[in-house]
Amino acid sequence: TTIKVNPSLGAKIKAMQEELDVSVKSVLKGMANDLVEWSPVDTGAYVNSHSIRPAGIGGGRMKSSENKPRFQEPEAQKATAREELFTDINNLSIEDVKSITIRNRSKHASDVENGWVFGSKTIDGYHVYTMLKDKYR
């Protein structure tokens, strides 16, 4: 038995894939925006070390705060970070978005997330990734 398929079916499937790609990337951009907005800024190293990549692909941004001036302009640093994350997202293929990794490779990422001890004082973490997971579960 042979079934003749409408020749426009391939075009319809492609259009649906493109629409799905736009929708998924829109959600990822929302996640990226939240990640940036919730990130503290001192030297800018932490906020500019976020990356979004296909799962299993190593690397990502890793900025260092060593020898960088403190008290940077938060909005300028966040604008740079957002732009870099949006570039990451725009470079993802429809296959890539099936499984992605969002990470921060700065040396102090764990301290920023979970907190740290400074002398005799315990500093609370910002829990940026915890909040992201909770919001996008």
Side-chain angles (χ1 to χ4, degrees):
T1 306
T2 303
I3 299 173
K4 186 170 182 168
V5 177
N6 184 329
S8 67
L9 182 61
K12 289 177 184 175
I13 291 171
K14 183 175 181 184
M16 288 171 57
Q17 286 176 323
E18 288 171 358
E19 188 176 319
L20 177 62
D21 185 49
V22 168
S23 296
V24 169
K25 287 182 178 181
S26 177
V27 170
L28 289 173
K29 287 179 180 180
M31 293 174 80
N33 193 56
D34 287 339
L35 193 62
V36 168
E37 285 306 310
W38 297 334
S39 293
V41 175
D42 184 17
T43 65
Y46 177 79
V47 72
N48 284 295
S49 290
H50 297 299
S51 60
I52 298 176
R53 309 200 43 91
I57 303 294
R61 281 177 283 287
M62 181 171 44
K63 311 287 181 170
S64 172
S65 60
E66 291 180 34
N67 300 318
K68 287 194 176 174
R70 297 185 65 202
F71 311 111
Q72 292 294 304
E73 168 54 42
E75 291 312 311
Q77 294 296 321
K78 288 180 178 191
T80 299
R82 191 176 293 107
E83 183 178 313
E84 289 177 337
L85 287 170
F86 284 10
T87 297
D88 289 351
I89 293 165
N90 288 334
N91 288 336
L92 294 170
S93 73
I94 191 68
E95 291 301 313
D96 292 336
V97 298
K98 290 179 180 177
S99 183
I100 59 153
T101 300
I102 302 174
R103 69 171 55 106
N104 188 303
R105 296 185 63 223
S106 69
K107 289 183 178 182
H108 58 296
S110 180
D111 290 342
V112 173
E113 179 68 15
N114 303 310
W116 65 98
V117 176
F118 185 72
S120 62
K121 187 175 182 182
T122 299
I123 310 296
D124 290 334
Y126 289 84
H127 308 289
V128 174
Y129 280 80
T130 301
M131 291 188 302
L132 192 71
K133 284 187 235 175
D134 288 347
K135 182 172 180 179
Y136 291 93
R137 245 180 242 268

